[in-house]
Amino acid sequence: MKVAILGAGGVALGTAAWLCTRGVEAVLWSPSGRSLTALAGGKPLTATGALEGTFHPGVAASVEEAVDSADVVLVALPAYAHAMAFEAVAPHLTNNHVVAISSHASFGALALARRLAARGLAPPIVAWGTTLTAGRRKGEDTVAVSTVRKSVDVGALPKSAAPAALDTLIAAFGDHFRPRDGVLAIALSNLNPQNHLAIALCNYTRMEQGESWKQAEHIPAGVGRLMEALDAERLAIADAFGVETRTIFDHFSLSYHLEKAPVSEMYAALLARGGGAMGPTTADTRYVTEDVPYGLVPTAWLGALVGRPAVLHDAGTALFSAIYGRDFVTENDLLDAAGVRDLHPDALRRLCDEGVPIS
């Protein structure tokens, strides 16, 4: 099999390493190209942590080359680069591809589907609620992988495409996927924005002052309760839509192979065994610049749509907009591209179930 990976960050490199362990051809493409120069020149990719070894993924000079003959096209870029990636890859996709978005944000699957429908195409698009691997790029040819997740929630667009698309994903990545109730469920399944809100807000000065700090050391009971309260808002919105998503306790248990407990205790257990990621050492972090506009904003919008106001999500967006001197609400370029802002909840549900009609 061949998997084209659009991206060059920690998730993209970690996923490429994972595919190589399975004997799957992984081909990376970066919009700039510069971040893959070392690998393109023949250096091996070195993975440390949850994956150990040296690997040799391919590097494509163009997005067209990357997706040519690929079985799966995986978008593994920050959410603020998804619109750009969709524009670049859409002309080269066919109905023979399975497109996966890792991880899905702001109804990006619908935004891509609208582009493809204009070409008369409707390949299956599988939205992932989180990433298969987590970690950070440590250099031109090194990635530190913190975990390979046991289970990733996924939903297909359209829903009818899910069985065949999942078979393809399992053949490539292994049996790590749990089907949920379509793209709408996945739109409410990414816990990173809510969790990163609590972590970044309560540890903001550490980020701004460039401290070196381990996240698990700085999630005491109060921060854990904030994360759980944010989770309750998200779950209430999912309930109003009639879709089921995993809880924060499920997420940490499956991501880091922990016994379920209050969030602060799960972080303590992770720390005790030597695990956990380092916290951001700059205010210019995806915990805010990606997760606020593309995570908190759409969740709060969905809450308002069904009369379940996400007060804490809205407050987090307002607080970070004030701290950064930016209007994070206006920075989201996916909701408009997805064409969902003016939809009634029932119409949104149908669109997520049935997909975008071909023009």
Side-chain angles (χ1 to χ4, degrees), residues 51-324:
L51 282 177
E52 296 276 351
T54 56
F55 308 96
H56 294 273
V59 175
S62 67
V63 68
E64 181 178 9
E65 177 187 337
V67 305
D68 181 49
S69 74
D71 300 280
V72 178
V73 177
L74 180 71
V75 179
L77 288 156
Y80 49 72
H82 283 187
M84 174 276 299
F86 297 159
E87 181 179 6
V89 76
H92 309 293
L93 293 173
T94 72
N95 283 333
N96 294 323
H97 290 113
V98 172
V99 183
I101 304 176
S102 167
S103 56
H104 182 260
S106 279
F107 295 98
L110 290 172
L112 177 57
R114 289 183 71 190
R115 282 186 174 275
L116 296 172
R119 293 183 53 216
L121 299 175
I125 301 172
V126 184
W128 294 13
T130 188
T131 58
L132 177 61
T133 68
R136 294 189 180 179
R137 182 174 179 146
K138 291 296 185 180
E140 288 190 350
D141 56 356
T142 304
V143 60
V145 181
S146 59
T147 191
V148 179
R149 291 188 167 94
K150 186 186 302 183
S151 176
V152 175
D153 288 353
V154 297
L157 185 74
K159 282 175 64 175
S160 60
L166 280 177
D167 285 346
T168 300
L169 292 180
I170 290 169
F173 298 94
D175 193 4
H176 292 261
F177 303 101
R178 179 178 179 180
R180 289 290 187 182
D181 192 16
V183 168
L184 183 56
I186 298 304
L188 288 161
S189 291
N190 189 347
L191 279 71
N192 278 346
Q194 65 181 43
N195 296 345
H196 290 166
L197 162 61
I199 293 169
L201 185 62
C202 296
N203 292 280
Y204 178 77
T205 57
R206 291 190 172 91
M207 299 182 341
E208 189 171 51
Q209 295 178 9
E211 289 184 21
S212 177
W213 58 289
K214 203 164 189 177
Q215 285 184 177
E217 290 181 342
H218 299 282
I219 314 294
V223 181
R225 284 193 294 270
L226 175 56
M227 295 169 77
E228 292 167 12
L230 285 158
D231 195 56
E233 287 188 345
R234 180 186 59 85
L235 294 172
I237 298 166
D239 180 68
F241 274 107
V243 297
E244 182 184 355
T245 68
R246 67 174 59 177
T247 69
I248 193 171
F249 309 104
D250 297 329
H251 175 75
F252 279 114
S253 177
L254 291 169
S255 292
Y256 300 106
H257 317 295
L258 298 166
E259 294 294 326
K260 293 182 185 179
V263 167
S264 61
E265 294 180 17
M266 296 177 84
Y267 268 109
L270 183 62
L271 182 65
R273 73 180 191 202
M278 299 300 292
T281 56
T282 172
D284 184 18
T285 169
R286 65 183 176 86
Y287 282 24
V288 179
T289 59
E290 176 184 6
D291 286 337
V292 174
Y294 295 97
L296 302 184
V297 169
T299 298
W301 170 74
L302 287 171
L305 199 63
V306 291
R308 300 288 176 92
V311 176
L312 294 173
H313 286 71
D314 275 328
T317 300
L319 286 168
F320 274 125
S321 292
I323 292 169
Y324 281 71

